[in-house]
Amino acid sequence: MKTPTKTRLTKILALAAVAPFVLTACGGGGGSSSGDATSLTLMDYYNNDPDKGLIQTAIDKCAADIGVTITREVVPGKDLIQKVLQKSSSKTLPDILMLDNPDVQEIASTGGLAPLSDFNVDTSGFAQGMLDAGTYEGEVYGLAPTANTLGLFYNKKLLSDAGLTPPTTWDELKTTAAALTKGDQYGLAFSAIATYEGAWQFLPFMWTNGGSETTLDSPENKEALQLWKDLVSSGSVSKGAINWGQGDVKDQFMAGKAAMMINGPWQIPALNDDSALEWGSVQVPINKTGQTPTAPLGGEVWTIPQTGNKDKQAKAAEFISCFTSDDNQVNLGSERYTVPTKPELAKAYVEKMPDMESFTEQIANARSRTGNLGAEWPKAATEIYTAIQLALTDKATVDEAFAQAAKG
Amino acid sequence: MTSLSTDAPVTRASKKIDTPTLRPRQSFWARENIAKIMFVVPAGLYMALFFGYPVIKNLVMSLQDYTTKTFFTGEAPWVGLQNYATVISSNLFAPALLNTALFTIISIVGQFAIGLALACFFNRNFPLSRFLRAMLLLPWLLPLIVASATWRSILDQDSGILNQFLGTFGIPAIPWLTSPDVALIAVILVNIWVGIPFNVTLLYGGLQDIPSELYEAGQLDGATGWKAFRHITWPNLRPVVSVVLILGVVYTIKVLDIILGLTNGGPANATQTIAVRSYQESFVNFEFGVGAAFSNILIVISLVFAVIYLRANRRAVDE
């Protein structure tokens, strides 16, 4: 009697062990394809407050305006693209998708996004740089309510104590930074890290000097690299910059260890948290007179994935029109310290947000990273940050750095 | 239940009488055999799903032009060995391979030496030794991304606590993570710190298994201290040592998070390893085919060590 019961038991156990595998194999797959366009899904990467909450309010408002309910999914910024790729292979893309602007062309080139013109979204009045970022092969795929960029922040107290004014040229930048470097305080901080962040921080200098990402090994780009090299080797910028992200740069600035920094307006809420810190901001300095300060355009654009449900896509298009409307641009811009993407709103915006004046000017001439290269931008960005790293660590001369970085 | 309860007697009877009509009971599909197979099936399925499929998929991927487009269209054109050619001809391949070797060898040597020393130390059971041994596991319990972020601030050139500490002895600030000549050493040091608990735990377990009679007998013959270690501890510990070393190699060769967290492969590519290249090609450049080729090279290297491990194990059993 004993043995057979055992056999039976073992068989049941064995079956029970197999069951989950079989069951999971049956489950999953099969996305919803209802024609009902009263509920939409949305995905973005604003996973931290205050942005998370501010975006939610704006989403709710537009959802009410166009008469739909919106289910929002928030993923961490670094996981967004992987999530998008997963969802596109399982055909479960959301109805509305937020993308960081340099990624739009990459995703549009896969055929995963719908051109906004299919749904008659009005794209007039937007800054050209922002439209460039959302455009792939002549079609606009995404619009942004607001944008950000880079500028030069300075510690008002440290500069006035030294009797200095914010620099407007590279020469002034060098002398001012040198004068502000003493003890454990550096004159300037920027991020030269071996990621896209490092490349993004270098662009204002490269572009202002007339350089281009299409021909990296150019005299203009080398001049810009020489500036960074001089700043680091003279000790005005810490050698640590080579491993600092922009958050680290902000920390150095706030700790009083850097008198000036290259950074973006998204740091302003953190800077304002410290009431003892008095800061100001100006546009990035120029090399020679006559040059226009040109910085890269940052910010997220909102797109319509190809979900195959035309009704929902049309509603998604209505949402994007609402989300990028004039009112919403000024609201989100004031709340999030980002600049409206319609130049005509600039005047009203600056009146409301005087702190944002230099950034608003900077945005007017800002360029998109993918405007020239499209999906090839990441390759150029890798070469840029590699060249910076080679030059700043003396692994290559400024003259050779770009050529060496291009070899991969 | 009824049919089963009659099972055993019938089988036994059939042996004696050997009647052909009753033979099917003994065939391959006999209930007991099915039960045996059912026990293997979950493990087999698990292996196929979670080891077989990814490895084969990775192999296939490395022969395809697999990009972001593939996820939407499902098209991944065959390119033969093109991805491998890209990998091997890339300027970063040789330095990355060298860095991988240096990173692995120095990490293992460091982890093992310190681990063995600590294991011997804790083997002496003194007050608080259990508590201290538990504390030693801390690096292992800490998420690597937290550990590397913490180490990044510790190793900061200007305000890092390590340089401030060294400064009190008059040692000038060392550019731990910002000089291409030092960064690899810094990354290895952090990895040694991460790996010590693993080594201590396994080696301590091995030491506990050595019968104390051996030491007592050795003492009579004058084997104490270093001699006892050389002639008693080491030979008895060898099977554990081979496991620790081989597993250590397999764990270390694929280390990614520590390097990404500390230097992201920089400065000036000084800390690029094959694992970092694979990650960056796949998830930064979205060249999944090239990334797969890098990781396959890594798998082959790991596999060589796995085979050495299996052979060493078998030899130990034979002995």
Side-chain angles (χ1 to χ4, degrees), chain A residues 181-375:
Chain A
T181 302
K182 52 191 169 210
D184 65 351
Q185 172 192 316
Y186 289 92
L188 175 71
F190 51 64
S191 159
I193 197 169
T195 65
Y196 294 155
E197 247 178 294
W200 145 267
Q201 284 247 326
F202 185 68
L203 285 176
F205 298 93
M206 188 175 128
W207 280 345
T208 299
N209 199 35
S212 159
E213 65 279 21
T214 47
T215 26
L216 284 174
D217 199 13
S218 70
E220 293 84 4
N221 291 353
K222 285 176 188 171
E223 271 183 302
L225 187 55
Q226 187 67 51
L227 172 72
W228 272 31
K229 171 86 185 150
D230 291 346
L231 285 165
V232 172
S233 47
S234 69
S236 301
V237 172
S238 165
K239 287 197 163 58
I242 203 145
N243 206 22
W244 284 345
Q246 298 182 104
D248 300 316
V249 170
K250 183 250 312 169
D251 290 343
Q252 297 287 327
F253 182 76
M254 287 188 72
K257 292 193 172 175
M260 301 182 285
M261 68 166 174
I262 302 294
N263 227 320
W266 63 91
Q267 307 285 18
I268 293 177
L271 298 181
N272 286 345
D273 275 348
D274 181 359
S275 51
L277 177 73
E278 281 181 68
W279 58 271
S281 72
V282 290
Q283 296 197 59
V284 287
I286 54 173
N287 183 18
K288 302 180 188 104
T289 44
Q291 287 178 340
T292 316
T294 313
L297 200 58
E300 294 76 23
V301 307
W302 298 74
T303 63
I304 309 173
Q306 292 284 19
T307 52
N309 186 330
K310 285 282 168 209
D311 297 337
K312 285 195 174 192
Q313 283 183 306
K315 274 289 176 193
E318 276 183 53
F319 173 86
I320 288 174
S321 295
C322 167
F323 203 71
T324 55
S325 67
D326 295 4
D327 283 350
N328 203 38
Q329 292 205 1
V330 176
N331 282 343
L332 276 178
S334 331
E335 290 164 351
R336 298 185 52 233
Y337 292 94
T338 48
V339 180
T341 50
K342 287 188 180 171
E344 60 183 64
L345 301 172
K347 204 161 164 278
Y349 174 71
V350 173
E351 271 169 25
K352 205 173 164 189
M353 303 284 290
D355 272 355
M356 293 295 291
E357 187 179 1
S358 65
F359 288 109
T360 309
E361 286 166 17
Q362 192 88 76
I363 286 280
N365 298 308
R367 274 168 60 185
S368 99
R369 280 158 281 177
T370 46
N372 285 331
L373 291 177

Side-chain angles (χ1 to χ4, degrees), chain A residues 105-156:
Chain A
Q105 304 204 17
E106 175 86 38
I107 301 299
S109 73
T110 68
L113 301 177
L116 296 184
S117 62
D118 284 7
F119 303 97
N120 302 315
V121 176
D122 184 14
T123 57
S124 63
F126 284 87
Q128 193 55 45
M130 207 66 234
L131 282 179
D132 286 347
T135 304
Y136 174 71
E137 292 187 341
E139 288 281 0
V140 179
Y141 286 86
L143 289 177
T146 59
N148 63 54
T149 184
L150 288 170
L152 181 78
F153 286 83
Y154 61 94
N155 186 318
K156 279 185 176 166

Side-chain angles (χ1 to χ4, degrees), chain A residues 7-27:
Chain A
T7 334
R8 176 140 195 220
L9 192 69
T10 47
K11 258 198 289 194
I12 292 168
L13 278 174
L15 272 172
V18 180
F21 292 99
V22 179
L23 291 177
T24 40
C26 298

Side-chain angles (χ1 to χ4, degrees), chain A residues 1 3-5 7-8 10-11 13-15 17-18 21-22 78 81-82 84-86 88-91 93 103 106-107 109-113 136 186 193-196 238-245 248 252 257 306 378-379 382 385-386 389-390 393 395 404 407-408, chain B residues 1 4-9 12 31-32 34-35 37-39 41-43 45-46 49-50 67-74 89-92 152 156-159 164 175 177-181 261-270 272 279-280 283-286 288:
Chain A
M1 192 63 200
T3 333
T5 327
T7 334
R8 176 140 195 220
T10 47
K11 258 198 289 194
L13 278 174
L15 272 172
V18 180
F21 292 99
V22 179
K78 64 177 177 49
I81 294 299
Q82 287 179 44
V84 168
L85 295 179
Q86 271 171 20
S88 55
S89 63
S90 61
K91 309 277 179 245
L93 280 168
D103 295 328
E106 175 86 38
I107 301 299
S109 73
T110 68
L113 301 177
Y136 174 71
Y186 289 92
I193 197 169
T195 65
Y196 294 155
S238 165
K239 287 197 163 58
I242 203 145
N243 206 22
W244 284 345
D248 300 316
Q252 297 287 327
K257 292 193 172 175
Q306 292 284 19
K379 200 168 162 282
T382 307
Y385 73 67
T386 308
Q389 295 247 318
L390 289 170
T393 57
K395 284 286 157 184
Q404 197 170 320
K407 288 186 204 148
Chain B
M1 199 66 187
L4 273 169
S5 52
T6 54
D7 230 18
R12 241 175 266 137
R31 281 159 189 259
E32 277 190 34
I34 291 179
I37 292 167
M38 290 301 246
F39 265 107
V41 164
L45 270 178
Y46 178 79
L49 265 173
F50 294 103
T67 58
T68 42
K69 212 171 277 185
T70 311
F71 286 87
F72 199 79
T73 58
S89 65
S90 111
N91 266 11
L92 283 178
R152 233 187 106 203
D156 186 86
Q157 189 177 348
D158 300 320
S159 44
Q164 304 225 333
L177 299 174
T178 48
S179 158
D181 306 318
L262 285 173
T263 61
N264 204 44
N269 292 324
Q272 290 278 2
Y279 172 83
Q280 289 187 336
F283 298 108
V284 179
N285 300 339
F286 301 121
F288 294 93

Side-chain angles (χ1 to χ4, degrees), chain B residues 116-159:
Chain B
L116 184 60
L118 284 171
C120 289
F121 178 63
F122 281 111
N123 202 28
R124 291 160 174 263
N125 271 328
F126 47 89
L128 283 183
S129 71
R130 286 169 71 95
F131 172 73
L132 284 174
R133 203 154 43 82
M135 292 303 289
L136 209 66
L137 291 180
L138 218 59
W140 211 2
L141 303 176
L142 216 56
L144 282 180
I145 211 77
V146 175
S148 52
T150 312
W151 274 103
R152 233 187 106 203
S153 65
I154 292 174
L155 295 171
D156 186 86
Q157 189 177 348
D158 300 320
S159 44

Side-chain angles (χ1 to χ4, degrees), chain B:
Chain B
M1 199 66 187
T2 39
S3 71
L4 273 169
S5 52
T6 54
D7 230 18
V10 171
T11 340
R12 241 175 266 137
S14 68
K15 264 179 199 158
K16 280 181 197 160
I17 308 164
D18 200 26
T19 14
T21 44
L22 288 168
R23 281 205 67 90
R25 282 258 173 251
Q26 277 193 321
S27 80
F28 178 75
W29 295 108
R31 281 159 189 259
E32 277 190 34
N33 272 341
I34 291 179
K36 279 180 203 158
I37 292 167
M38 290 301 246
F39 265 107
V40 180
V41 164
L45 270 178
Y46 178 79
M47 291 287 284
L49 265 173
F50 294 103
F51 290 92
Y53 174 74
V55 167
I56 290 168
K57 177 79 184 169
N58 206 42
L59 213 59
V60 171
M61 219 183 215
S62 72
L63 303 174
Q64 290 174 316
D65 182 21
Y66 206 104
T67 58
T68 42
K69 212 171 277 185
T70 311
F71 286 87
F72 199 79
T73 58
E75 287 164 21
W78 292 96
V79 290
L81 295 173
Q82 180 73 53
N83 289 330
Y84 289 93
T86 312
V87 164
I88 291 166
S89 65
S90 111
N91 266 11
L92 283 178
F93 180 68
L97 201 61
L98 179 68
N99 286 346
T100 309
L102 288 174
F103 180 81
T104 309
I105 294 167
I106 304 177
S107 288
I108 295 290
V109 170
Q111 288 170 6
F112 181 78
I114 299 174
L116 184 60
L118 284 171
C120 289
F121 178 63
F122 281 111
N123 202 28
R124 291 160 174 263
N125 271 328
F126 47 89
L128 283 183
S129 71
R130 286 169 71 95
F131 172 73
L132 284 174
R133 203 154 43 82
M135 292 303 289
L136 209 66
L137 291 180
L138 218 59
W140 211 2
L141 303 176
L142 216 56
L144 282 180
I145 211 77
V146 175
S148 52
T150 312
W151 274 103
R152 233 187 106 203
S153 65
I154 292 174
L155 295 171
D156 186 86
Q157 189 177 348
D158 300 320
S159 44
I161 193 162
L162 183 59
N163 274 351
Q164 304 225 333
F165 173 72
L166 294 175
T168 58
F169 299 102
I171 300 169
I174 298 168
W176 292 111
L177 299 174
T178 48
S179 158
D181 306 318
V182 189
L184 189 64
I185 299 169
V187 173
I188 290 172
L189 286 178
V190 174
N191 191 52
I192 289 177
W193 173 82
V194 172
I196 287 173
F198 172 77
N199 282 263
V200 173
T201 310
L202 263 71
L203 292 171
Y204 178 80
L207 287 176
Q208 293 280 296
D209 282 345
I210 302 176
S212 55
E213 293 83 24
L214 288 179
Y215 290 101
E216 286 158 15
Q219 245 168 0
L220 294 177
D221 295 332
T224 51
W226 169 249
K227 266 190 183 162
F229 179 82
R230 167 81 183 76
H231 295 288
I232 302 171
T233 312
W234 186 252
N236 280 294
L237 204 59
R238 260 193 42 207
V240 181
V241 169
S242 73
V243 174
V244 170
L245 288 184
I246 302 291
L247 287 181
V249 168
V250 175
Y251 288 152
T252 309
I253 208 163
K254 66 173 177 59
V255 163
L256 178 69
D257 14 25
I258 296 172
I259 300 180
L260 287 187
L262 285 173
T263 61
N264 204 44
N269 292 324
T271 52
Q272 290 278 2
T273 63
I274 301 289
V276 174
R277 288 308 311 143
S278 169
Y279 172 83
Q280 289 187 336
E281 287 293 351
S282 295
F283 298 108
V284 179
N285 300 339
F286 301 121
E287 290 287 348
F288 294 93
V290 180
F294 266 112
S295 64
N296 280 329
I297 293 173
L298 203 59
I299 289 172
V300 167
I301 300 174
S302 293
L303 215 58
V304 170
F305 282 96
V307 169
I308 296 175
Y309 168 65
L310 288 175
R311 284 188 64 106
N313 241 12
R314 207 172 53 200
R315 215 176 45 218
V317 171
D318 289 346
E319 276 168 8

